[in-house]
Amino acid sequence: MLENLGDTALAGQVCGLVALVICVIAFASKSDDRLLMLLISANVAFVLQFVFFESWTAAVLTLLVIVRIVLARRYMGSKTVMVGVLLASGVAATFTWQSWVDFLPIAAMVLGTFGMFLLRGISMRVFLGLAATLWMLNNLLIGSIGGTLAEGLIVVTNIITIIRLARAKRKYPDVFEDPEVLEVITHNNRSS
């Protein structure tokens, strides 16, 4: 199958597989900072993958995903920064639009941006899971094996995490009612 690919398509497949490996390593990490850095690295590989597949909207929006990760972490809850990211995404999509397939990364960007800036816990992961599903469909339609598998991994990981959070919420409802207590517990778990 791969022997029939041209050089650029093969390079795109390699970048998608590199992103897959980085995603696996990222999700195995217990450190939030390491996870963040690895996800940024995976997104750099995704950008290159999309460039090789000439999927320009996905490439530019993935660059903005890197910026969004950094901004959402620093300006959590900021509607102004979120709107700025969405406006930049809209402008980028307008200049790079090629076909209806580009709707998938646009919708994924909107869902992911909303989820990262305004939501936490289960609701954030639902939005990020929906965004990952759209990215997975985009990768499938452009023919990226590694990208499709990487996003599929993210979807499955999100589902498992949502189930674990829902169980913890049922088991310890008081903790989930007080965000400060949850933050202290989360911080203590990261430190150990």
Side-chain angles (χ1 to χ4, degrees):
M1 178 176 142
L2 293 178
E3 61 273 355
N4 295 333
L5 295 176
D7 290 341
T8 56
L10 186 57
Q13 294 293 356
V14 169
C15 289
L17 292 170
V18 167
L20 170 63
V21 170
I22 295 171
C23 284
V24 169
I25 295 168
F27 285 112
S29 175
K30 292 181 181 178
S31 164
D32 287 351
D33 290 331
R34 180 173 161 84
L35 172 67
L36 175 66
M37 294 311 298
L38 287 168
L39 288 179
I40 289 171
S41 300
N43 277 297
V44 169
F46 280 131
V47 169
L48 293 172
Q49 167 201 271
F50 292 131
V51 167
F52 286 122
F53 278 105
E54 297 180 4
S55 182
W56 305 115
T57 300
V60 172
L61 291 180
T62 303
L63 274 175
L64 288 172
V65 164
I66 295 168
V67 173
R68 179 188 73 195
I69 290 169
V70 174
L71 290 175
R73 190 172 164 118
R74 181 166 182 170
Y75 300 103
M76 187 181 304
S78 173
K79 292 179 183 175
T80 304
V81 177
M82 180 190 76
V83 168
V85 170
L86 290 173
L87 286 174
S89 301
V91 169
T94 300
F95 285 109
T96 58
W97 181 273
Q98 293 173 300
S99 74
W100 70 270
V101 174
D102 291 333
F103 173 76
L104 296 169
I106 293 167
M109 185 65 170
V110 170
L111 289 170
T113 301
F114 183 80
M116 280 192 146
F117 277 97
L118 300 182
L119 304 173
R120 292 291 159 257
I122 293 172
S123 56
M124 179 183 70
R125 283 170 176 79
V126 167
F127 272 72
L128 294 178
L130 291 171
T133 301
L134 293 170
W135 280 113
M136 183 177 68
L137 291 172
N138 180 75
N139 281 308
L140 188 64
L141 290 172
I142 68 168
S144 172
I145 298 165
T148 302
L149 293 173
E151 295 297 344
L153 170 72
I154 293 168
V155 169
V156 170
T157 302
N158 260 322
I159 290 169
I160 292 168
T161 303
I162 289 168
I163 291 167
R164 290 175 59 208
L165 285 171
R167 286 180 182 162
K169 190 174 183 177
R170 279 194 303 275
K171 191 171 182 178
Y172 306 106
D174 296 340
V175 172
F176 283 86
E177 287 178 16
D178 186 355
E180 290 179 20
V181 173
L182 182 59
E183 182 59 34
V184 169
I185 290 171
T186 305
H187 178 72
N188 289 341
N189 285 339
R190 278 187 244 158
S191 300
S192 51

